[in-house]
Amino acid sequence: MTFDAPTFQQNSAKLDIGDIDFDAFKDQPLDAEALRCLRYMHDVESHTVCYLRDVLVTRAHRDPDITAFLTLWNYEEFWHGDAIGKVLAAHDEEAGATRIAELRQRLPKGDRWRPVGFQLASALTPHLTAVQMTWGAVNEWTTQAAYARLAKLADHPTLSILLKRIMKQEGRHIDFYSTEANGRLTNSRAAQRVTRWALRRFWAPVGSGVIEDQEVDFLRTYLFGDPDGLVFAERIDRRVDRLPGLHGLHLLAGAVAA
Ligand SMILES: [Fe+2]
Ligand SMILES: [Fe+2]
């Protein structure tokens, strides 16, 4: 669990899809469940810039290491959404700007108040950054596991190559968030208490509150609802357990059981 900022900044790049044969999906299309899953992933990856908005209004923006990472993270996530959009387009599904605009029109009214809520929380506790870094680690662990599960379930050679490349970049995001979370939690019992409370009270699978509830339910059942999926969920919970002060939250197992 280490992160080397200069190496990340040097290696950060637009996802390489130059050799991906998207026409292969026309000859060998994905099934309805895999496509439903990819719609969700497209929408969540494309929503990264909105999550970034909520982080930048907090005290996290004062940390140049965090803002350097977030700049490149947002860029990489954009291209993840774009690549998944190309898979959807190969199935004659709507993707890209039109789909993203529709999603943002459907966001709950409360979304406009999220930056205000984050600003307020940042004023109330100096430990919000620890919460955000830990939250980011859990979401990146979940995202990488979701891609691994989808690759296995869809069992499509072209999709597997694409998802493997995305997962490699998600791995570097994991390194950043988990290193930041670990450092901030190690240094402060108060940060541990605030983060533990926030995760227990507010954490939900990535995409919740943005994507419709029935799609969140579908995704967690489809990807993590069988014994193989549960192994992934429990592995993420063990990683959370290893962060200082966060033992025994069972976030993923709890979400799957729900
Ligand atoms: Fe991503
Ligand atoms: Fe990521």
Side-chain angles (χ1 to χ4, degrees):
M1 203 157 58
T2 55
F3 179 77
D4 182 62
T7 304
F8 174 72
Q9 289 166 17
Q10 204 61 41
N11 294 339
S12 175
K14 173 183 175 183
L15 189 74
D16 179 14
I17 56 167
D19 61 339
I20 300 284
D21 177 17
F22 289 96
D23 286 338
F25 294 107
K26 295 198 186 292
D27 299 330
Q28 190 186 343
L30 295 165
D31 64 30
E33 289 179 315
L35 279 174
R36 189 173 175 184
C37 192
L38 282 170
R39 278 184 224 119
Y40 189 110
M41 290 164 160
H42 167 272
D43 293 351
V44 171
E45 293 280 12
S46 304
H47 204 69
T48 302
V49 69
C50 304
Y51 296 126
L52 176 64
R53 169 200 67 176
D54 297 340
V55 179
L56 290 180
V57 297
T58 70
R59 64 183 69 222
H61 85 278
R62 294 182 200 159
D63 185 327
D65 291 336
I66 291 181
T67 52
F69 169 78
L70 291 177
T71 301
L72 301 169
W73 168 74
N74 183 55
Y75 180 74
E76 291 189 349
E77 303 291 23
F78 172 86
W79 291 112
H80 296 177
D82 181 80
I84 295 168
K86 286 184 166 51
V87 179
L88 293 175
H91 293 81
D92 297 322
E93 296 240 359
E94 198 173 80
T98 314
R99 184 174 168 87
I100 296 165
E102 286 171 5
L103 172 76
R104 293 193 190 158
Q105 287 297 320
R106 289 198 308 272
L107 287 173
K109 282 198 168 54
D111 182 76
R112 74 183 64 166
W113 297 108
R114 281 175 63 88
V116 178
F118 275 93
Q119 270 185 309
L120 194 62
S122 183
L124 288 173
T125 171
H127 302 299
L128 183 65
T129 309
V131 177
Q132 290 168 313
M133 296 299 109
T134 309
W135 200 291
V138 178
N139 283 357
E140 295 286 352
W141 278 324
T142 309
T143 303
Q144 195 189 52
Y147 285 131
R149 287 292 295 146
L150 176 59
K152 179 92 193 318
L153 291 165
D155 193 23
H156 188 291
T158 307
L159 186 71
S160 294
I161 293 168
L162 178 64
L163 296 184
K164 200 171 170 195
R165 286 186 197 169
I166 295 178
M167 285 167 61
K168 192 173 173 191
Q169 291 194 329
E170 305 296 8
R172 295 199 278 261
H173 304 166
I174 288 169
D175 292 343
F176 172 80
Y177 282 113
S178 59
T179 301
E180 282 288 329
N182 195 56
R184 286 162 197 276
L185 293 169
T186 300
N187 292 335
S188 168
R189 289 296 296 272
Q192 293 176 20
R193 279 197 297 274
V194 172
T195 303
R196 189 179 179 84
W197 174 82
L199 287 174
R200 183 170 266 167
R201 175 76 181 74
F202 298 111
W203 185 84
V206 59
S208 303
V210 175
I211 315 289
E212 292 87 346
D213 289 348
Q214 74 265 21
E215 297 307 302
V216 180
D217 289 343
F218 161 74
L219 207 81
R220 69 180 172 202
T221 308
Y222 175 63
L223 295 178
F224 299 110
D226 66 4
D228 286 350
L230 194 58
V231 169
F232 278 79
E234 288 173 345
R235 188 181 300 154
I236 296 168
D237 282 337
R238 286 196 297 277
R239 287 171 174 162
V240 178
D241 283 348
R242 286 199 286 271
L243 291 171
L246 300 188
H247 192 268
L249 285 171
H250 306 299
L251 298 174
L252 269 292
V256 172

